[in-house]
């Protein structure tokens, strides 16, 4: 059984070739990302996207180069994924990366392309997974299982509704047992590989141990850091920029086709080593938190995010944030403000132009419209986007998993009723 | 702190729905000559009803689309302008997708407001105590507005005499937020159960703090624009506040297929022997709405209508009915206002507070028009007021009503009002031990017209219509 990984491949594009790449992405969008890149056939892809990160200034005004970025959330190790992708959609990838420096052009072997892609991987500073260990195949299977049970109940409602919950569940069990294609439902989903779990446990313990060693430095350093932070927070100038109308329209043209949406944004880190260091440390903590604590469908109160990642690019002068979430951007931003403003502040307040914060976590996103304008301004059009289960929300996926988990095995009468209420 | 509301500067529709003025019509207007239109509207301005006193015989309110504002010379460029959703309008293609206005609901089929009909720039909302009174008011308004030919009437939208019931037969207008600072809200008191219904004025009126304690973005004009000093000044700034005491009016003409609705319910609830079952039919209808035809909420009256609870609005969902056994999870009112069932902590005051950021002041009126084929088209002129169209109207329409996954459901958009598009539409009645699913629900409501309007404060209205009207650019 898998654990999900985040794959990111980033390559700079010569500025005079950006329009060509954009055209390639637009064409893929018109034809449908899933068809062009055959993501459904690539093993274990949950989501995938391609975006253009435009040329843009860092905090000192130096122009950073444009790049094209491939991101996916997959159930297999990244190198396996890239090899699989090249095998199925190599020609399409060729078009996307053709203008990038050193890309092995036509005639090169699959192996060379995979090697090039691997050498352009960018690690995540932090990666959030809604439910660690729930693979794509499991999700699709469980969705099918639920539908089969619902159909069964519809067909037999008249007889069954006069029965007891236990009887009804027994009837469902019998029905599922009789279905060859649902045989897998009789066992539990496998848990992630032992090696991976040991690594996670080592990380869980190792980080606080390391922290203990550093404690004396932290005790001395933290007050100094806090003073410096406050001083900077007062001086930093929040942007009053409203998102450009054409930009907003372009973004809207890619949104709200499915139950989920992609969100991709890029921003410059505030100038100086202080902010870069702070952000690195914060993302380290975020990574620790999402790896070990927020891994059961709930990111500090927000339950609608399937995956989210933060990564540094351009030598830590810019940051990309990318996620897949349920609902509309408006509802997503409202969730941010109402539920995790503090968390967003801690990360994004190190970004240039962010609404003014106090003590890193206060205010900031609470300035509703300033925050929404900031996000919209920094958001990038996700031209190519694929979802393996585009009608299912995190809530649905959780319900499906619970239906499967409670189908066989012993349940008390109360548990049986609760299980039936899921259907 | 409770803000003092400047009722004299607000249009009356914000403070009241004019329930004593039982006759209404809405004139959709097109501007053909801006200068003349300004003059004509300027003459109408003294007739416009403010929010101060309850009008005894008639009421007039005026609102403008973004194109209308532009034609009147009000480009508000740059960051201080109108919000994007107002500027690009209800019929922008991406917005249509967002609102579910596709397929048969698409703007190209609309009676008004779409690309196939003349542009709408303004609406005159007219209300009167009786039918002859409305006739006189219309004649008077037309005389003033249309005489010079600089405004043209695109369409007149009549309404049926105001009753308690909407065309499907349900009592409407029961649950309404109370605007903080109005006498009704003060009487309800913050501590009482109805306290949850009291919402900051800034959620509906521009220029007052909203539920975040902030001022919603509103159109501000740089100083050279308002030399006559008609508009209030931005506190601590030099700009003139065009938005103060204004609001956004969302207007949608929603056709209700009354025969299809009750026909479906009849069929769905037939007994095995084929005979009709009126009680079961009414119960299914009530579950789709979340209230009985008489108004009683299912949370308090799960089994049958109860006249004593006709206007009962004192309930939540989480503590009494978390699983939807009384009021189904997908019922219209449970979506349109989930009350205390919102994440992250359903049942808490925080949950209710999050809900207060998504409320609407509904001001709709039912209509019954002679349709083209001689039949009668019935429906609702759905009107609502809000300060932030994205966070309020559009959010409710998209994220709550049309959302097939609302409340953890599957394939289940609002059973009553949502478009079906090409999706499967299911309505589930949660029950013990076993739910009932109604598959392939037909569509009962379709969109026939619509637009976003800005309902300016009275000073802003005078500024728009009269201030140096000749010059064009101000
Ligand atoms: C023809 C279409 C519609 C019909 C027949 C209809 C009918 C009703 C009825 C019977 C009620 C219960 C009475 C009450 O609580 O006042 C109600 C409540 C409500 N409706 Fe609708 N409605 C329609 C469209 C809409 C739309 C398009 C929206 C919003 C976008 C909406 C928002 C609401 C809200 C916010 C409530 C109050 C819920 C509460 O606070 O409990 N309705 N509607």
């Amino acid at each position: 059984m898998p654990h999900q990984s985040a794959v990111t491949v980033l390559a700079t594009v010569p500025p005079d070739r950006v329009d060509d790449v954009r055209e390639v992405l637009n064409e893929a969008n018109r034809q449908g990302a899933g068809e062009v890149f055959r993501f459904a056939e690539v093993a274990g892809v949950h989501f995938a996207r391609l975006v253009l990160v435009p040329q843009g200034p860092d905090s000192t005004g130096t122009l950073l180069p444009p790049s094209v970025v491939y991101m996916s959330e997959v159930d297999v190790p990244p190198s396996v994924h890239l090899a699989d992708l090249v095998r199925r959609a190599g020609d399409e990838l060729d078009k996307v990366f053709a203008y990038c420096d050193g890309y092995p052009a036509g005639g090169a072997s699959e192996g060379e392309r995979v090697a090039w892609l691997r050498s352009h991987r960018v690690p995540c500073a932090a990666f959030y997974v809604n439910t660690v260990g729930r693979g794509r195949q499991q999700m699709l299977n469980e969705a099918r299982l639920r539908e089969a049970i619902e159909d069964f109940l519809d067909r037999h409602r008249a007889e069954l509704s006069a029965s007891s919950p236990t009887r009804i569940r027994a009837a469902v069990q019998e029905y599922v047992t009789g279905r060859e294609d649902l045989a897998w439902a009789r066992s539990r989903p496998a848990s992630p590989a032992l090696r991976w779990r040991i690594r996670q446990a080592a990380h869980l313990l190792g980080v606080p141990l390391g922290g203990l060693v550093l404690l004396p430095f932290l005790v001395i350093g933290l007050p100094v850091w806090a003073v410096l932070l406050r001083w900077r927070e007062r001086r930093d100038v929040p942007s009053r920029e409203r998102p450009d109308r054409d930009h907003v329209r372009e973004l809207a043209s890619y949104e709200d086709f499915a139950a989920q949406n992609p969100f991709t944004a890029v921003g410059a880190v505030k100038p100086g080593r202080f902010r870069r260091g702070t952000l690195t440390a914060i993302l380290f903590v975020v990574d620790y938190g999402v790896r070990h604590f927020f891994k059961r469908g709930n990111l500090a109160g927000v339950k609608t995010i399937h995956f989210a990642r933060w990564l540094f690019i351009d030598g830590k002068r810019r940051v990309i944030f990318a996620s897949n979430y349920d609902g509309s951007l408006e509802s997503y931003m409202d969730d941010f403000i109402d539920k995790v403003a503090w968390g967003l502040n801690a990360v994004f307040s190190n970004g240039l132009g962010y609404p003014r914060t106090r003590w890193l976590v206060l205010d900031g996103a609470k300035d509703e419209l300033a925050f929404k304008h900031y996000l919209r301004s920094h958001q990038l059009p996700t031209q190519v986007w694929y979802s393996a289960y585009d009608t299912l929300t995190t809530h649905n996926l959780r319900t499906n998993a619970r239906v499967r988990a409670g189908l066989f095995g012993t349940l008390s009468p109360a548990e049986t009723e609760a299980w039936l209420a899921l259907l | 702190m409770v803000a003092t509301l400047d009722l004299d500067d607000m249009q009356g529709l914000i403070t009241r729905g004019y329930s004593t003025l039982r006759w209404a019509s809405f004139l959709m207007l097109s501007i053909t000559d801006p200068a003349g239109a300004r003059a004509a509207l300027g003459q109408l301005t003294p007739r416009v009803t403010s929010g101060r006193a309850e009008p005894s015989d008639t009421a007039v309110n005026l609102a403008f689309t973004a194109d209308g504002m532009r034609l009147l010379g009000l480009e508000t460029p740059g960051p201080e302008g109108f919000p994007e959703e107002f500027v690009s309008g209800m019929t922008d293609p991406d917005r249509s997708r967002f609102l579910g206005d596709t397929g048969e609901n698409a703007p190209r089929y609309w009676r008004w407001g779409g690309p196939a009909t003349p542009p709408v720039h303004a609406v005159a909302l007219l209300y009167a105590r009786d039918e002859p009174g409305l006739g006189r008011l219309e004649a008077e308004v037309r005389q003033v507005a249309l005489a010079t030919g600089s405004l043209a009437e695109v369409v007149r939208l009549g309404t049926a005499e105001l009753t308690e019931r909407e065309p499907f037969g349900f009592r409407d207008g029961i649950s309404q937020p109370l605007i903080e600072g109005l006498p009704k809200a003060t009487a309800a008191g913050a501590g009482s159960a109805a306290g949850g219904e009291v919402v900051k004025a800034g959620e509906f009126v521009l220029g007052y703090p909203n539920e975040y304690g902030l001022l919603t973005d509103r159109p501000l004009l740089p100083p050279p624009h308002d030399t006559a000093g008609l508009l209030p000044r931005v506190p601590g700034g030099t700009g003139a506040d065009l938005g103060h005491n204004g609001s956004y009016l969302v207007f949608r003409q929603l056709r209700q297929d009354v025969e299809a609705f009750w026909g479906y319910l009849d069929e769905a609830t037939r007994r095995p022997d084929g005979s009709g079952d009126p009680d079961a039919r009414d119960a299914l209808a009530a579950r789709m709405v979340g209230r009985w035809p008489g108004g009683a909420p299912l949370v308090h009256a799960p089994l049958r209508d109860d006249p004593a609870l006709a206007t009962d609005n004192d309930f939540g969902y989480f503590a009494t009915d978390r699983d939807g056994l009384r009021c189904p999870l997908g019922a219209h009112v449970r979506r349109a206002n989930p009350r205390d069932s919102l994440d992250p902590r359903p049942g808490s005051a925080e949950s209710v507070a999050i809900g207060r950021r998504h409320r609407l002041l509904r001001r709709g009126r039912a209509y019954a028009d002679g349709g083209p084929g001689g039949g009668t088209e019935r429906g609702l002129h759905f009107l609502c007021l809000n300060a932030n169209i994205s966070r309020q109207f559009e959010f409710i329409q998209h994220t709550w009503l049309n959302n097939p996954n609302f409340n953890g459901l599957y394939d289940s958009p609002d059973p009553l009002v949502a478009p079906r598009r090409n999706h499967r539409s299911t309505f589930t009645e949660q029950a013990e031990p076993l739910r009932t699913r109604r598959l392939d629900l037909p569509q009962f409501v379709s969109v026939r017209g619509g637009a976003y309007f800005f309902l300016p404060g009275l000073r802003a209205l005078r500024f728009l219509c009269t201030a140096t009207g000749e010059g064009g650019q101000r």
Side-chain angles (χ1 to χ4, degrees):
Chain A
M1 138 59 78
H3 64 269
Q4 302 94 327
S5 9
V7 179
T8 309
V9 174
L10 177 144
T12 45
V13 177
D16 59 338
R17 289 302 194 174
V18 167
D19 287 340
D20 299 297
V21 179
R22 182 174 296 118
E23 195 34 54
V24 171
L25 300 190
N26 280 342
E27 184 53 32
N29 173 278
R30 276 191 289 273
Q31 291 180 25
E35 278 75 57
V36 173
F37 295 94
R38 295 164 62 192
F39 287 122
E41 297 161 43
V42 181
V45 180
H46 293 250
F47 296 93
R49 77 184 75 189
L50 277 158
V51 291
L52 260 172
V53 176
Q55 174 169 294
D58 73 359
S59 56
T60 63
T62 312
L63 270 192
L64 300 169
S67 46
V68 59
V69 188
Y70 169 76
M71 292 183 246
S72 57
E73 287 83 6
V74 295
D75 291 332
V76 297
S79 47
V80 174
H81 169 67
L82 290 174
D84 198 2
L85 187 65
V86 166
R87 207 157 37 243
R88 317 235 172 218
D91 294 347
E92 300 300 327
L93 289 178
D94 285 358
K95 290 186 207 159
V96 172
F97 293 109
Y99 308 106
C100 301
D101 198 26
Y103 185 77
S109 70
E110 273 178 14
E112 284 170 277
R113 289 165 177 159
V114 175
W116 186 89
L117 292 173
R118 286 178 60 175
S119 69
H120 285 76
R121 278 189 57 204
V122 178
C124 288
F127 177 46
Y128 167 73
V129 177
N130 180 282
T131 304
V132 170
R134 195 162 67 203
R136 174 177 84 168
Q137 196 52 50
Q138 181 188 340
M139 290 177 178
L140 297 179
N141 283 346
E142 287 169 352
R144 224 159 30 86
L145 174 68
R146 179 195 149 271
E147 276 175 23
I149 296 177
E150 298 277 17
D151 286 344
F152 171 78
L153 293 177
D154 285 343
R155 275 181 279 123
H156 300 275
R157 209 189 68 82
E159 315 100 80
L160 290 177
S161 49
S163 318
S164 71
T166 315
R167 276 271 172 72
I168 299 175
R169 181 163 167 265
V172 173
Q173 288 170 337
E174 194 186 329
Y175 169 68
V176 173
T177 310
R179 290 245 328 230
E180 252 336 275
D181 60 326
L182 300 177
W184 52 266
R186 271 170 278 169
S187 51
R188 307 173 130 278
S191 31
L194 184 64
R195 255 187 48 200
W196 181 80
R197 278 182 292 155
I198 292 173
R199 266 214 335 261
Q200 288 294 90
H203 188 266
L204 175 67
L205 295 175
V207 168
L209 282 179
L212 265 182
V213 176
L214 290 177
L215 195 61
F217 300 97
L218 289 178
V219 169
I220 301 166
L222 266 179
V224 180
W225 173 83
V227 170
L228 284 174
L229 175 76
R230 266 318 274 153
W231 182 69
R232 274 159 209 271
E233 284 182 330
R234 284 168 204 270
R235 274 191 351 159
D236 289 344
V237 191
S239 157
R240 294 203 57 241
E241 184 191 357
R242 272 216 199 172
D244 175 69
R245 281 198 64 199
D246 292 335
H247 177 64
V248 172
R249 299 178 134 218
E250 188 186 1
L251 294 170
S253 73
Y254 295 113
E255 283 172 355
D256 306 310
F257 288 88
Q260 313 110 11
N261 270 314
F263 182 81
T264 317
V266 67
V269 182
K270 283 174 178 167
R273 268 187 304 191
F274 177 82
R275 284 296 187 177
R276 207 179 318 140
T278 301
L279 183 54
T280 307
I282 297 284
L283 286 178
F284 184 81
V285 174
V286 169
D287 182 57
Y288 186 76
V290 298
R291 257 164 100 159
H292 303 296
F293 303 110
F294 300 117
K295 54 176 190 176
R296 289 275 172 269
N298 189 341
L299 181 54
V302 179
K303 299 178 181 167
T304 51
I305 303 176
H306 294 254
F307 295 98
R309 69 178 78 181
W310 294 259
L311 40 107
F312 285 105
I313 62 169
D314 302 315
K316 288 205 173 179
R317 285 185 289 173
R318 289 199 285 183
V319 172
I320 290 179
F321 172 70
S323 63
N324 298 286
Y325 64 92
D326 296 328
S328 71
L329 185 72
E330 178 68 28
S331 66
Y332 191 45
M333 295 192 295
D334 288 344
D335 272 354
F336 279 164
I337 300 169
D338 293 337
K339 294 164 193 168
V340 280
W342 59 272
L344 280 135
N345 290 345
V347 176
F348 287 98
S349 70
N350 300 293
L352 202 63
Y354 190 78
R356 192 179 301 284
T357 48
R358 269 185 308 129
W359 303 111
L360 198 65
V361 292
L362 300 176
D363 299 346
K366 290 281 178 194
D367 191 346
E368 183 212 1
L369 289 171
F371 173 73
K372 288 178 178 174
H373 294 329
Y374 174 86
L375 282 195
R376 262 304 199 203
S377 300
H378 289 79
Q379 194 186 345
L380 301 176
T382 305
Q383 278 148 311
V384 175
W385 181 65
Y386 168 80
S387 161
Y389 32 85
D390 67 1
T391 59
L392 295 171
T393 62
T394 56
H395 195 143
N396 294 151
L397 294 166
R398 190 170 63 243
T399 306
N400 294 350
R402 289 172 62 199
V403 168
R404 186 247 188 106
L407 175 54
F408 293 99
T410 28
L411 296 187
S412 70
E415 285 168 339
T416 308
E417 281 174 33
W419 181 80
L420 264 187
L422 296 171
L423 292 160
Chain B
M1 204 195 69
V2 178
T4 314
L5 307 181
D6 186 355
L7 300 179
D8 292 310
D9 193 42
M10 280 175 206
Q11 294 204 43
L13 195 62
I14 295 178
T15 56
R16 50 180 66 86
Y18 303 129
S19 56
T20 58
L21 307 179
R22 301 158 72 84
W23 290 85
S25 68
F26 309 119
L27 305 183
M28 297 292 162
L29 304 172
S30 198
I31 296 173
T32 49
D33 160 35
R38 267 200 300 275
L41 291 167
Q43 281 189 13
L44 208 55
T45 307
R47 285 290 280 120
V48 171
T49 311
S50 86
R52 176 63 67 186
E54 169 125 37
S56 55
D57 291 312
T58 60
V60 175
N61 286 136
L62 276 181
F64 303 88
T65 62
D67 285 339
M69 296 297 286
R70 221 172 287 135
L71 282 172
L72 292 175
L74 249 299
E75 295 275 10
T76 51
E80 317 277 53
F82 285 104
E84 171 58 24
E85 62 275 16
F86 175 69
V87 175
S88 53
M90 192 185 277
T91 58
D92 170 84
D94 293 315
R95 179 150 295 104
S96 289
R97 182 176 67 249
F98 189 77
L99 295 176
D101 296 344
T102 54
E104 62 177 290
N105 282 351
R108 66 171 179 284
Y109 303 121
W110 287 2
R111 257 186 86 200
W112 60 274
T117 52
V120 170
H121 297 136
V123 58
L125 309 149
L126 311 181
Y127 300 85
R129 183 168 287 280
D130 50 30
E131 202 172 9
L134 182 64
R136 284 193 299 275
L137 179 63
E138 270 179 33
E140 182 195 336
V141 167
R142 283 181 169 139
Q143 173 61 31
V144 177
L146 308 178
T148 62
S150 38
L151 284 166
E153 191 172 301
V154 175
V155 61
R156 170 194 183 273
L157 302 176
T159 66
E161 181 179 5
L162 180 65
T163 66
E164 279 166 354
R165 308 267 177 134
E166 50 72 44
F168 288 144
F170 289 82
R171 185 192 263 270
D172 201 358
I174 305 166
S175 175
Q176 199 77 284
L178 300 172
I179 304 181
E180 189 184 79
L182 287 185
K184 256 200 215 163
T186 316
S192 76
E197 292 293 296
V198 177
V199 177
K200 294 277 183 219
E203 290 293 310
F204 308 105
V205 200
L206 299 173
Y208 301 89
N210 62 21
E211 282 290 331
Y212 285 110
L214 302 167
L215 298 181
T216 302
D217 280 0
R218 59 213 188 284
L220 307 176
L221 304 178
H225 272 279
D226 174 32
T227 41
L230 281 173
L231 298 174
R233 293 290 175 257
V234 179
T238 48
D241 191 343
L242 184 68
H244 200 68
N245 288 321
S247 183
Y248 293 100
L249 169 69
V250 175
F251 197 132
R252 308 213 351 127
Q253 178 175 353
L254 303 176
R255 184 173 80 99
Q256 296 177 245
D257 195 337
V258 178
E259 289 71 37
F261 180 67
W262 288 105
Y264 170 81
L265 293 165
D266 267 330
E267 285 305 317
T269 53
R270 269 189 208 292
R271 297 195 184 89
D273 66 6
S275 62
D277 185 345
D279 288 342
R281 178 196 61 195
D282 292 357
L284 177 55
R287 285 196 206 106
M288 288 187 177
V289 174
R291 288 184 181 267
W292 292 92
L298 264 67
V299 169
H300 284 163
L303 300 179
R304 62 193 64 82
D305 205 346
D306 181 350
L309 299 175
T311 58
D312 178 14
N313 200 29
D314 188 8
F315 58 90
Y317 295 107
F318 187 75
T320 26
D321 190 27
R322 184 194 316 200
D323 298 323
L325 298 174
R326 293 161 168 243
C327 176
L329 298 175
H332 176 63
V333 300
R334 199 163 176 158
R335 292 168 177 270
N337 179 8
R339 297 175 187 237
D340 61 346
S341 38
L342 295 169
D343 274 342
R345 262 173 294 285
S348 69
E350 186 191 353
S351 174
V352 179
I354 290 175
R356 276 201 298 271
R357 291 160 192 162
H358 309 284
R359 300 298 306 273
L360 298 172
L361 272 180
R362 287 178 296 141
R363 295 289 186 242
R365 295 260 171 151
Y367 70 89
D369 284 349
T376 306
E377 177 180 318
R378 282 189 280 176
L380 185 67
H381 288 309
F382 176 85
L383 280 78
C384 72
L385 295 169
N386 51 189
N388 184 333
I389 300 175
S390 296
R391 172 157 62 75
Q392 295 170 275
F393 167 71
E394 289 187 349
F395 180 100
I396 295 172
Q397 177 83 32
H398 173 273
T399 304
W400 288 348
L401 300 187
N402 291 359
N403 180 359
N405 307 99
F406 177 78
N407 250 343
L409 300 167
Y410 301 75
D411 302 321
S412 301
D414 188 301
L416 194 69
V417 309
R420 309 296 184 228
R421 293 183 255 185
N422 39 14
H423 300 298
R424 287 190 290 174
S425 291
T426 303
F427 176 62
T428 305
E429 298 163 75
Q430 287 79 26
E432 276 174 339
L434 202 54
R435 87 289 180 282
T436 304
R437 291 206 305 171
R438 313 278 175 181
L439 303 174
D440 301 317
L441 219 57
Q443 178 168 322
F444 306 121
V445 169
S446 43
V447 189
R448 304 281 283 128
Y452 291 150
F453 293 93
F454 173 57
L455 182 89
L458 291 176
R459 273 179 291 181
L461 187 60
R462 281 192 286 273
F463 168 78
L464 274 172
C465 301
T466 56
T468 61
E470 313 80 42
Q473 265 306 316
R474 277 154 296 159

